[in-house]
Amino acid sequence: MHDTEELFRAVHGVAGRFAGQPVPVVMEALLRQLPKASGVEVADIRKIAEEISVGRDPSGL
């Protein structure tokens, strides 16, 4: 559960700082901030980045 919470907090932090930015910028930020052993696939990171890019916070926090 701790890893999941860390993952959601990282997504939430990126969403707060990068909302409205282009997808590649958000993806780069996510790749830097997500826990290394998160197991999140690149395709899923792109979907998350797309949500953030249009101003949504997919973390649920």
Side-chain angles (χ1 to χ4, degrees):
M1 183 68 177
H2 177 70
D3 294 335
T4 303
E5 183 177 327
E6 187 177 349
L7 176 66
F8 285 118
R9 288 191 186 281
V11 169
H12 180 69
V14 171
R17 290 187 307 275
F18 291 89
Q21 296 295 314
V23 171
V25 172
V26 179
M27 280 189 70
E28 183 179 321
L30 285 167
L31 290 169
R32 283 194 317 265
Q33 296 298 316
L34 292 178
K36 299 301 177 204
S38 67
V40 180
E41 301 285 330
V42 174
D44 293 326
I45 292 173
R46 179 164 185 85
K47 289 176 188 174
I48 293 168
E50 289 169 351
E51 290 289 312
I52 294 171
S53 182
V54 296
R56 295 187 190 112
D57 181 354
S59 73
L61 296 178

